[in-house]
Amino acid sequence: MSGQSLLVPGEQSPIRSVPGNIRRPEYVGKPAPAPYTGPEVQTPETIEAMRTAGRIAARAMAEAAKIIAPGVTTDQLDKVAHDYMCDHGAYPSTLGYRGFPKSLCTSVNEVICHGIPDSTVLRDGDIVNLDVTAYIGGVHGDNNATYLVGDVDEESRLLVERTRESLDRAIKAVKPGRQINVIGRVIESYAKRFGYGVVRDFTGHGINSSFHSGLIVPHYDSPHATTVMQPGMTFTIEPMLTLGSHEYDMWDDGWTVVTKDRRRTAQFEHTLVVTDSGAEILTLP
């Protein structure tokens, strides 16, 4: 495992502005979003709008990933994704969501999720997850991926590769008529081959006009996840695998989640729609 020192919070830059002509989600400026009361199965029009939002989110993430290198700050990554989304008429969904101050999440090494971009400098041998969500046309598209920074040790590289594979396998398990828990069963059984922890308290979620609709998609085999998948349902799958424990601590910022044993963790995510035969990925660039 890499001998990198543990992360500490950096200094945040001022909140970035969004052009006034870009439509905001309803939760911006509020302590919390309004509860979602609509259906989990979406109309063809909503799904088409989500393809647009998903494509912009995927491309924004790809643009930010292009500059990943030792010496780059996580705040610089935030600026690239922010500018791309705004330039394409989309609002960065995380900006102002329950008070989150930035336009994407940057989770480095032992950070499981929700890392806040700041003055933290990426180092040779780090891994960093970018989590980007775009809001346009009244809907959200959400994706994330973990990237290698420079020369990364084999243990970390394999963790990243296998976490991506766990997402791919989970997507293939999506079929109408199956219960949601098949997703977690596939991820957990694959992760156990390598002795990885599977994060339980942060999950995939329903997504549509709501950033988080209330539908929960666990990444472990949960007996409670009995919702039956139907064509037109839209949700994310976003497994978080760790080199050690699945347990976590929260930083004082109320957002940054780190592994309790401070070992490394990786994550990948796509937004999907259930089709008559399987799943369509909505977050493709």
Side-chain angles (χ1 to χ4, degrees), residues 18-278:
V18 176
N21 64 317
I22 293 178
R23 179 179 173 184
R24 272 74 168 153
E26 57 80 23
Y27 53 73
V28 174
K30 300 177 183 177
Y36 178 70
T37 58
E40 298 297 345
V41 172
Q42 304 304 310
T43 66
E45 292 76 20
T46 296
I47 293 166
E48 183 57 36
M50 290 180 68
R51 287 190 186 97
T52 298
R55 189 179 307 118
I56 291 172
R59 290 176 177 173
M61 183 173 73
E63 286 299 307
K66 287 178 182 177
I67 71 164
I68 290 174
V72 172
T73 68
T74 55
D75 188 67
Q76 287 174 280
L77 301 173
D78 180 77
K79 183 180 189 305
V80 172
H82 176 94
D83 289 349
Y84 186 92
M85 285 185 274
C86 291
D87 287 348
H88 290 80
Y91 186 91
S93 301
T94 60
L95 185 61
Y97 180 78
R98 296 184 182 272
F100 192 84
K102 293 295 175 181
S103 298
L104 81 166
C105 302
T106 49
S107 300
V108 180
N109 296 345
E110 69 269 20
V111 179
I112 294 171
C113 57
H114 303 159
I116 301 173
D118 59 19
S119 60
T120 296
V121 176
L122 296 177
R123 302 161 296 182
D124 187 62
D126 283 343
I127 60 175
V128 57
N129 179 274
L130 306 185
D131 192 340
V132 181
T133 310
Y135 177 79
I136 188 170
V139 297
H140 301 268
D142 185 4
N143 69 162
N144 77 55
T146 302
Y147 299 90
L148 310 180
V149 184
D151 185 16
V152 175
D153 67 274
E154 181 75 355
E155 185 178 43
S156 299
R157 187 187 64 76
L158 285 172
L159 173 68
V160 171
E161 179 182 300
R162 290 164 177 167
T163 305
R164 183 197 300 271
E165 175 66 16
S166 77
L167 173 60
D168 292 344
R169 288 173 179 241
I171 292 170
K172 290 175 183 175
V174 172
K175 295 283 191 300
R178 290 181 173 177
Q179 293 183 345
I180 285 281
N181 59 14
V182 70
I183 293 168
R185 189 175 310 131
V186 166
I187 292 167
E188 186 172 42
S189 63
Y190 180 70
K192 279 183 173 179
R193 293 191 200 177
F194 312 104
Y196 295 154
V198 180
V199 172
R200 290 170 166 251
D201 292 320
F202 300 90
T203 68
H205 53 88
I207 184 170
N208 37 66
S209 59
S210 173
F211 195 170
H212 299 87
S213 72
L215 176 67
I216 301 298
V217 183
H219 302 121
Y220 64 99
D221 188 3
S222 169
H224 306 295
T226 57
T227 300
V228 174
M229 292 182 270
Q230 304 173 58
M233 287 180 67
T234 50
F235 53 82
T236 72
I237 304 176
E238 45 189 299
M240 292 151 263
L241 305 186
T242 73
L243 289 175
S245 172
H246 69 268
E247 297 182 348
Y248 67 93
D249 292 321
M250 181 85 72
W251 279 6
D252 291 343
D253 61 23
W255 283 105
T256 307
V257 180
V258 296
T259 54
K260 187 171 281 291
D261 58 12
R262 302 303 191 266
R263 299 198 71 193
R264 288 188 169 187
T265 176
Q267 182 184 16
F268 284 85
E269 174 187 24
H270 275 305
T271 296
L272 312 168
V273 58
V274 181
T275 67
D276 289 335
S277 59

